[in-house]
Amino acid sequence: QKEVEQNSGPLSVPEGAIASLNCTYSDRGSQSFFWYRQYSGKSPELIMSIYSNGDKEDGRFTAQLNKASQYVSLLIRDSQPSDSATYLCAVNTRGSYIPTFGRGTSLIVHP
Amino acid sequence: DTGVSQNPRHKITKRGQNVTFRCDPISGHVSLYWYRQALGQGPEFLTYFQNEAQLEKSRLLSDRFSAERPKGSFSTLEIQRTEQGDSAMYLCASSLEAFSNTGELFFGEGSRLTVL
């Protein structure tokens, strides 16, 4: 079992819809969780971080963490074509300061 | 531009040749990471530096790979006797703090290696 699992997609949503991206992780002691966005041919950039159970909102983005179920999700409200990218989930497992990345989910927002 | 800088951006080489990539992190950043990203995959960790000390190495880093960060400034990643399986994007990232599991990683644009 991989440490960080994501569905590779693509996830296709219409403009204005809510896009829901999911990630599961294997180490129950993981403490830090990140979502990076990576446009095609570009490098990853951090868009959200979350450390405790519950929701964290930043503009159109909401990160949700459920440590009991070992999943973290990212919701993008009012999706725009410019949100089309690969979204990488990254997790700092127990005792580590080195993020482990999932394979990423490709999101396509069509007009 | 004060972001993470990587050179060269693209490298095409023949199997068996040696290649070297350079990374200039954001000034003042203590931590420096190298990741490898194959097409359609997420970044895979290779090695971590805190200042000039190489503190972590992935088992992916075979004896053909070597990295250094002299004086805690720029870093180089060398691949000797390249193989076709080495073809990938090599990403460098830096972060401000040491031993932090909450810090943001700032990535460079990457160095794409193609081994023929």
Side-chain angles (χ1 to χ4, degrees), chain A residues 2 31-32 34 36 38 41-46 51 88 92 96-104, chain B residues 9 33 35 37 40-43 45 48 55-56 89 91 99-105 107-109:
Chain A
K2 286 195 171 182
Q31 298 178 314
S32 306
F34 308 91
Y36 284 78
Q38 186 173 27
K42 299 295 186 181
S43 59
E45 57 178 337
L46 181 71
Y51 309 109
L88 299 163
N92 279 61
S96 174
Y97 43 84
I98 297 170
T100 298
F101 286 82
R103 66 179 300 175
Chain B
R9 294 291 309 280
Y33 307 75
Y35 283 84
Q37 186 174 27
Q41 302 296 317
F45 169 73
Y48 166 77
L55 298 185
E56 292 278 346
M89 178 74 83
L91 293 168
F99 298 122
S100 170
N101 63 1
T102 60
E104 174 181 359
L105 265 60
F107 283 87
E109 292 295 328

Short mmCIF file of all heavy atoms in Angstrom, two decimals, chain A residues 2 31-32 34 36 38 41-46 51 88 92 96-104, chain B residues 9 33 35 37 40-43 45 48 55-56 89 91 99-105 107-109:
data_model
loop_
_atom_site.label_atom_id
_atom_site.label_comp_id
_atom_site.label_asym_id
_atom_site.label_seq_id
_atom_site.Cartn_x
_atom_site.Cartn_y
_atom_site.Cartn_z
N LYS A 2 0.58 2.15 -0.96
CA LYS A 2 1.35 3.38 -1.00
C LYS A 2 1.01 4.24 0.19
O LYS A 2 -0.10 4.21 0.72
CB LYS A 2 1.08 4.11 -2.31
CG LYS A 2 1.73 3.46 -3.51
CD LYS A 2 1.73 4.41 -4.69
CE LYS A 2 2.58 3.85 -5.82
NZ LYS A 2 2.63 4.79 -6.97
N GLN A 31 0.95 14.04 10.64
CA GLN A 31 0.60 15.26 11.36
C GLN A 31 0.32 16.47 10.47
O GLN A 31 -0.39 17.37 10.88
CB GLN A 31 1.76 15.62 12.30
CG GLN A 31 2.02 14.57 13.37
CD GLN A 31 3.19 14.94 14.25
OE1 GLN A 31 4.24 15.36 13.77
NE2 GLN A 31 3.02 14.79 15.55
N SER A 32 0.91 16.49 9.30
CA SER A 32 0.79 17.68 8.45
C SER A 32 0.36 17.27 7.06
O SER A 32 0.86 16.28 6.52
CB SER A 32 2.14 18.40 8.37
OG SER A 32 2.64 18.68 9.65
N PHE A 34 -0.87 18.71 3.08
CA PHE A 34 -0.73 19.83 2.16
C PHE A 34 -1.40 19.50 0.82
O PHE A 34 -1.41 18.34 0.39
CB PHE A 34 0.75 20.14 1.90
CG PHE A 34 1.56 20.31 3.15
CD1 PHE A 34 2.21 19.23 3.73
CD2 PHE A 34 1.70 21.55 3.74
CE1 PHE A 34 2.97 19.38 4.89
CE2 PHE A 34 2.45 21.71 4.89
CZ PHE A 34 3.09 20.63 5.47
N TYR A 36 -0.88 20.80 -3.08
CA TYR A 36 -0.11 21.58 -4.05
C TYR A 36 -0.84 21.51 -5.39
O TYR A 36 -1.42 20.49 -5.76
CB TYR A 36 1.31 21.00 -4.22
CG TYR A 36 2.26 21.32 -3.09
CD1 TYR A 36 2.21 20.63 -1.88
CD2 TYR A 36 3.22 22.31 -3.24
CE1 TYR A 36 3.09 20.92 -0.86
CE2 TYR A 36 4.13 22.60 -2.22
CZ TYR A 36 4.05 21.90 -1.03
OH TYR A 36 4.92 22.20 -0.01
N GLN A 38 -0.26 21.89 -9.54
CA GLN A 38 0.80 21.84 -10.54
C GLN A 38 0.19 21.97 -11.92
O GLN A 38 -0.49 21.06 -12.40
CB GLN A 38 1.60 20.52 -10.43
CG GLN A 38 2.81 20.47 -11.33
CD GLN A 38 3.69 19.25 -11.12
OE1 GLN A 38 3.22 18.21 -10.67
NE2 GLN A 38 4.97 19.37 -11.41
N GLY A 41 3.59 21.24 -17.09
CA GLY A 41 4.91 21.75 -17.42
C GLY A 41 5.50 22.71 -16.40
O GLY A 41 6.58 23.26 -16.62
N LYS A 42 4.79 22.89 -15.29
CA LYS A 42 5.26 23.82 -14.25
C LYS A 42 5.56 23.05 -12.97
O LYS A 42 5.32 21.85 -12.86
CB LYS A 42 4.20 24.90 -13.99
CG LYS A 42 3.89 25.75 -15.20
CD LYS A 42 5.09 26.57 -15.61
CE LYS A 42 4.73 27.54 -16.73
NZ LYS A 42 5.92 28.33 -17.17
N SER A 43 6.08 23.77 -11.98
CA SER A 43 6.41 23.13 -10.71
C SER A 43 5.25 23.25 -9.74
O SER A 43 4.38 24.10 -9.90
CB SER A 43 7.66 23.79 -10.13
OG SER A 43 7.44 25.17 -9.94
N PRO A 44 5.20 22.39 -8.73
CA PRO A 44 4.13 22.45 -7.74
C PRO A 44 4.19 23.74 -6.92
O PRO A 44 5.28 24.23 -6.62
CB PRO A 44 4.39 21.23 -6.85
CG PRO A 44 5.28 20.33 -7.65
CD PRO A 44 6.11 21.24 -8.48
N GLU A 45 3.02 24.25 -6.54
CA GLU A 45 2.93 25.40 -5.65
C GLU A 45 1.90 25.09 -4.57
O GLU A 45 0.84 24.53 -4.85
CB GLU A 45 2.57 26.68 -6.40
CG GLU A 45 1.27 26.60 -7.17
CD GLU A 45 0.89 27.89 -7.86
OE1 GLU A 45 1.36 28.97 -7.42
OE2 GLU A 45 0.13 27.84 -8.82
N LEU A 46 2.21 25.48 -3.34
CA LEU A 46 1.34 25.18 -2.22
C LEU A 46 0.08 26.04 -2.27
O LEU A 46 0.16 27.26 -2.47
CB LEU A 46 2.07 25.44 -0.90
CG LEU A 46 1.29 25.15 0.37
CD1 LEU A 46 1.12 23.64 0.53
CD2 LEU A 46 2.00 25.74 1.59
N TYR A 51 -3.64 20.94 9.60
CA TYR A 51 -2.94 20.16 10.60
C TYR A 51 -3.87 19.51 11.63
O TYR A 51 -3.46 18.59 12.35
CB TYR A 51 -1.93 21.04 11.34
CG TYR A 51 -1.03 21.82 10.41
CD1 TYR A 51 -1.16 23.20 10.26
CD2 TYR A 51 -0.06 21.17 9.66
CE1 TYR A 51 -0.35 23.91 9.40
CE2 TYR A 51 0.76 21.87 8.78
CZ TYR A 51 0.61 23.24 8.67
OH TYR A 51 1.41 23.95 7.80
N LEU A 88 -1.79 17.84 -6.14
CA LEU A 88 -0.97 16.87 -5.41
C LEU A 88 -1.24 16.96 -3.92
O LEU A 88 -1.19 18.05 -3.34
CB LEU A 88 0.52 17.16 -5.65
CG LEU A 88 1.02 17.07 -7.09
CD1 LEU A 88 2.37 17.77 -7.24
CD2 LEU A 88 1.17 15.62 -7.52
N ASN A 92 3.18 14.76 5.73
CA ASN A 92 4.35 14.52 6.58
C ASN A 92 3.99 13.40 7.54
O ASN A 92 3.18 13.59 8.45
CB ASN A 92 4.74 15.79 7.35
CG ASN A 92 5.55 16.73 6.50
OD1 ASN A 92 5.08 17.21 5.49
ND2 ASN A 92 6.77 16.98 6.93
N SER A 96 8.50 12.72 10.55
CA SER A 96 9.24 13.11 9.36
C SER A 96 8.96 14.57 9.02
O SER A 96 7.86 15.07 9.21
CB SER A 96 8.88 12.22 8.18
OG SER A 96 9.50 12.71 6.99
N TYR A 97 9.98 15.22 8.51
CA TYR A 97 9.83 16.59 8.04
C TYR A 97 9.96 16.64 6.53
O TYR A 97 10.19 17.69 5.95
CB TYR A 97 10.88 17.49 8.71
CG TYR A 97 12.25 16.86 8.77
CD1 TYR A 97 13.13 16.94 7.71
CD2 TYR A 97 12.64 16.12 9.90
CE1 TYR A 97 14.36 16.33 7.77
CE2 TYR A 97 13.89 15.52 9.95
CZ TYR A 97 14.74 15.62 8.89
OH TYR A 97 15.97 15.01 8.94
N ILE A 98 9.82 15.47 5.91
CA ILE A 98 9.93 15.39 4.46
C ILE A 98 8.58 14.98 3.89
O ILE A 98 8.12 13.86 4.14
CB ILE A 98 11.01 14.38 4.05
CG1 ILE A 98 12.37 14.87 4.57
CG2 ILE A 98 11.03 14.19 2.54
CD1 ILE A 98 13.47 13.85 4.45
N PRO A 99 7.92 15.87 3.14
CA PRO A 99 6.60 15.53 2.60
C PRO A 99 6.66 14.36 1.61
O PRO A 99 7.54 14.30 0.76
CB PRO A 99 6.17 16.81 1.89
CG PRO A 99 7.02 17.89 2.48
CD PRO A 99 8.33 17.23 2.80
N THR A 100 5.70 13.45 1.78
CA THR A 100 5.50 12.37 0.82
C THR A 100 4.31 12.74 -0.05
O THR A 100 3.23 13.08 0.47
CB THR A 100 5.21 11.04 1.54
OG1 THR A 100 6.35 10.70 2.35
CG2 THR A 100 4.97 9.92 0.54
N PHE A 101 4.50 12.68 -1.35
CA PHE A 101 3.47 13.11 -2.29
C PHE A 101 2.69 11.93 -2.85
O PHE A 101 3.25 10.86 -3.07
CB PHE A 101 4.10 13.88 -3.45
CG PHE A 101 4.55 15.26 -3.11
CD1 PHE A 101 5.77 15.48 -2.50
CD2 PHE A 101 3.75 16.35 -3.40
CE1 PHE A 101 6.19 16.76 -2.18
CE2 PHE A 101 4.16 17.63 -3.09
CZ PHE A 101 5.38 17.83 -2.48
N GLY A 102 1.41 12.18 -3.13
CA GLY A 102 0.63 11.26 -3.92
C GLY A 102 0.91 11.50 -5.40
O GLY A 102 1.65 12.41 -5.76
N ARG A 103 0.30 10.67 -6.25
CA ARG A 103 0.55 10.80 -7.69
C ARG A 103 -0.19 11.98 -8.32
O ARG A 103 0.11 12.34 -9.45
CB ARG A 103 0.17 9.50 -8.40
CG ARG A 103 -1.29 9.18 -8.37
CD ARG A 103 -1.58 7.88 -9.12
NE ARG A 103 -1.16 7.98 -10.51
CZ ARG A 103 -1.21 6.97 -11.37
NH1 ARG A 103 -1.62 5.79 -10.97
NH2 ARG A 103 -0.83 7.13 -12.61
N GLY A 104 -1.12 12.57 -7.58
CA GLY A 104 -1.85 13.72 -8.10
C GLY A 104 -3.13 13.34 -8.82
O GLY A 104 -3.24 12.25 -9.39
N ARG B 9 17.49 23.67 -17.64
CA ARG B 9 16.07 23.33 -17.64
C ARG B 9 15.80 22.03 -18.40
O ARG B 9 14.89 21.29 -18.05
CB ARG B 9 15.26 24.46 -18.26
CG ARG B 9 15.29 25.77 -17.46
CD ARG B 9 14.53 25.64 -16.14
NE ARG B 9 13.19 25.10 -16.34
CZ ARG B 9 12.17 25.83 -16.74
NH1 ARG B 9 12.32 27.12 -16.98
NH2 ARG B 9 10.96 25.27 -16.90
N TYR B 33 15.61 20.29 -0.72
CA TYR B 33 15.13 18.96 -1.07
C TYR B 33 15.33 18.73 -2.57
O TYR B 33 15.15 19.63 -3.37
CB TYR B 33 13.62 18.82 -0.80
CG TYR B 33 13.16 19.19 0.59
CD1 TYR B 33 13.07 20.51 1.00
CD2 TYR B 33 12.76 18.19 1.48
CE1 TYR B 33 12.62 20.85 2.26
CE2 TYR B 33 12.30 18.51 2.75
CZ TYR B 33 12.23 19.84 3.13
OH TYR B 33 11.77 20.17 4.39
N TYR B 35 13.68 16.15 -5.44
CA TYR B 35 12.66 15.16 -5.77
C TYR B 35 12.81 14.79 -7.25
O TYR B 35 13.33 15.58 -8.05
CB TYR B 35 11.24 15.72 -5.57
CG TYR B 35 10.76 15.81 -4.15
CD1 TYR B 35 11.08 16.90 -3.35
CD2 TYR B 35 9.95 14.81 -3.59
CE1 TYR B 35 10.61 17.00 -2.05
CE2 TYR B 35 9.48 14.90 -2.29
CZ TYR B 35 9.81 15.99 -1.53
OH TYR B 35 9.35 16.08 -0.23
N GLN B 37 10.38 13.45 -10.50
CA GLN B 37 8.99 13.29 -10.90
C GLN B 37 8.92 12.69 -12.30
O GLN B 37 9.30 13.35 -13.27
CB GLN B 37 8.23 14.62 -10.85
CG GLN B 37 6.74 14.47 -11.11
CD GLN B 37 5.96 15.77 -10.92
OE1 GLN B 37 6.50 16.86 -11.07
NE2 GLN B 37 4.67 15.66 -10.59
N GLY B 40 3.32 11.84 -15.21
CA GLY B 40 2.07 11.31 -14.68
C GLY B 40 2.14 10.82 -13.26
O GLY B 40 1.17 10.25 -12.75
N GLN B 41 3.25 11.06 -12.60
CA GLN B 41 3.44 10.63 -11.22
C GLN B 41 3.68 11.83 -10.32
O GLN B 41 3.96 12.93 -10.79
CB GLN B 41 4.62 9.67 -11.11
CG GLN B 41 4.49 8.42 -11.96
CD GLN B 41 3.33 7.55 -11.54
OE1 GLN B 41 3.09 7.33 -10.35
NE2 GLN B 41 2.57 7.06 -12.51
N GLY B 42 3.57 11.60 -9.02
CA GLY B 42 3.89 12.65 -8.08
C GLY B 42 5.39 12.70 -7.82
O GLY B 42 6.12 11.78 -8.18
N PRO B 43 5.86 13.77 -7.20
CA PRO B 43 7.30 13.85 -6.87
C PRO B 43 7.71 12.76 -5.89
O PRO B 43 7.00 12.50 -4.92
CB PRO B 43 7.42 15.24 -6.24
CG PRO B 43 6.23 16.02 -6.74
CD PRO B 43 5.15 15.01 -6.87
N PHE B 45 10.74 11.61 -3.30
CA PHE B 45 11.85 12.18 -2.55
C PHE B 45 13.16 11.49 -2.88
O PHE B 45 13.23 10.26 -2.97
CB PHE B 45 11.57 12.06 -1.05
CG PHE B 45 12.74 12.37 -0.17
CD1 PHE B 45 13.17 13.69 -0.03
CD2 PHE B 45 13.41 11.37 0.50
CE1 PHE B 45 14.27 13.98 0.77
CE2 PHE B 45 14.50 11.66 1.31
CZ PHE B 45 14.93 12.96 1.44
N TYR B 48 17.72 15.18 1.18
CA TYR B 48 17.42 16.39 1.94
C TYR B 48 18.70 16.93 2.56
O TYR B 48 19.51 16.19 3.13
CB TYR B 48 16.41 16.08 3.04
CG TYR B 48 16.27 17.16 4.10
CD1 TYR B 48 15.56 18.32 3.85
CD2 TYR B 48 16.88 17.01 5.36
CE1 TYR B 48 15.44 19.31 4.82
CE2 TYR B 48 16.77 17.99 6.32
CZ TYR B 48 16.05 19.14 6.05
OH TYR B 48 15.92 20.12 7.00
N LEU B 55 21.18 15.07 5.30
CA LEU B 55 20.63 14.35 6.44
C LEU B 55 19.75 13.17 6.07
O LEU B 55 19.53 12.28 6.89
CB LEU B 55 19.84 15.31 7.33
CG LEU B 55 20.65 16.46 7.94
CD1 LEU B 55 19.78 17.26 8.90
CD2 LEU B 55 21.89 15.94 8.65
N GLU B 56 19.20 13.20 4.88
CA GLU B 56 18.30 12.11 4.47
C GLU B 56 18.58 11.73 3.03
O GLU B 56 18.80 12.60 2.19
CB GLU B 56 16.83 12.52 4.60
CG GLU B 56 16.32 12.72 6.01
CD GLU B 56 15.93 11.43 6.69
OE1 GLU B 56 15.81 10.40 6.00
OE2 GLU B 56 15.75 11.46 7.92
N MET B 89 11.71 14.45 -14.53
CA MET B 89 11.93 15.83 -14.11
C MET B 89 12.57 15.79 -12.73
O MET B 89 12.06 15.11 -11.83
CB MET B 89 10.60 16.59 -14.05
CG MET B 89 10.73 18.03 -13.58
SD MET B 89 11.45 19.08 -14.85
CE MET B 89 9.99 19.42 -15.83
N LEU B 91 13.28 17.88 -9.54
CA LEU B 91 12.78 19.08 -8.87
C LEU B 91 13.59 19.38 -7.62
O LEU B 91 13.86 18.49 -6.82
CB LEU B 91 11.31 18.90 -8.46
CG LEU B 91 10.28 18.79 -9.58
CD1 LEU B 91 8.94 18.31 -9.03
CD2 LEU B 91 10.12 20.11 -10.29
N PHE B 99 14.00 20.98 10.03
CA PHE B 99 13.23 20.01 10.83
C PHE B 99 11.81 20.49 11.10
O PHE B 99 11.27 20.26 12.15
CB PHE B 99 13.92 19.71 12.16
CG PHE B 99 15.28 19.11 12.00
CD1 PHE B 99 16.38 19.72 12.55
CD2 PHE B 99 15.46 17.92 11.31
CE1 PHE B 99 17.64 19.16 12.40
CE2 PHE B 99 16.71 17.36 11.15
CZ PHE B 99 17.81 17.98 11.72
N SER B 100 11.26 21.17 10.13
CA SER B 100 9.89 21.65 10.29
C SER B 100 8.95 20.79 9.48
O SER B 100 9.20 20.51 8.32
CB SER B 100 9.77 23.09 9.83
OG SER B 100 8.41 23.48 9.75
N ASN B 101 7.85 20.34 10.11
CA ASN B 101 6.88 19.59 9.33
C ASN B 101 5.67 20.44 8.98
O ASN B 101 4.64 19.92 8.56
CB ASN B 101 6.44 18.32 10.07
CG ASN B 101 5.75 18.63 11.39
OD1 ASN B 101 5.58 19.79 11.74
ND2 ASN B 101 5.37 17.60 12.12
N THR B 102 5.82 21.74 9.15
CA THR B 102 4.72 22.63 8.79
C THR B 102 5.11 23.63 7.72
O THR B 102 4.30 24.43 7.29
CB THR B 102 4.21 23.41 10.02
OG1 THR B 102 5.31 24.18 10.55
CG2 THR B 102 3.72 22.47 11.10
N GLY B 103 6.36 23.61 7.35
CA GLY B 103 6.84 24.62 6.42
C GLY B 103 6.48 24.35 4.98
O GLY B 103 6.43 23.20 4.53
N GLU B 104 6.24 25.40 4.25
CA GLU B 104 5.95 25.32 2.82
C GLU B 104 7.23 25.05 2.06
O GLU B 104 8.28 25.63 2.34
CB GLU B 104 5.34 26.63 2.35
CG GLU B 104 5.12 26.72 0.84
CD GLU B 104 4.53 28.02 0.39
OE1 GLU B 104 4.27 28.88 1.27
OE2 GLU B 104 4.33 28.19 -0.83
N LEU B 105 7.13 24.15 1.07
CA LEU B 105 8.23 23.93 0.14
C LEU B 105 8.04 24.81 -1.08
O LEU B 105 6.95 24.87 -1.66
CB LEU B 105 8.27 22.46 -0.30
CG LEU B 105 9.19 21.53 0.48
CD1 LEU B 105 8.81 21.47 1.95
CD2 LEU B 105 9.19 20.15 -0.14
N PHE B 107 9.21 25.23 -4.82
CA PHE B 107 9.85 24.44 -5.86
C PHE B 107 10.44 25.30 -6.97
O PHE B 107 9.90 26.36 -7.32
CB PHE B 107 8.83 23.48 -6.49
CG PHE B 107 8.51 22.27 -5.66
CD1 PHE B 107 7.53 22.32 -4.69
CD2 PHE B 107 9.21 21.09 -5.84
CE1 PHE B 107 7.23 21.21 -3.92
CE2 PHE B 107 8.92 19.97 -5.08
CZ PHE B 107 7.94 20.03 -4.12
N GLY B 108 11.53 24.82 -7.53
CA GLY B 108 12.05 25.38 -8.76
C GLY B 108 11.28 24.84 -9.95
O GLY B 108 10.41 23.98 -9.79
N GLU B 109 11.61 25.32 -11.13
CA GLU B 109 10.90 24.91 -12.34
C GLU B 109 11.31 23.53 -12.82
O GLU B 109 10.69 22.96 -13.70
CB GLU B 109 11.10 25.94 -13.45
CG GLU B 109 10.43 27.28 -13.20
CD GLU B 109 8.91 27.16 -13.17
OE1 GLU B 109 8.34 26.29 -13.86
OE2 GLU B 109 8.28 27.94 -12.42
#
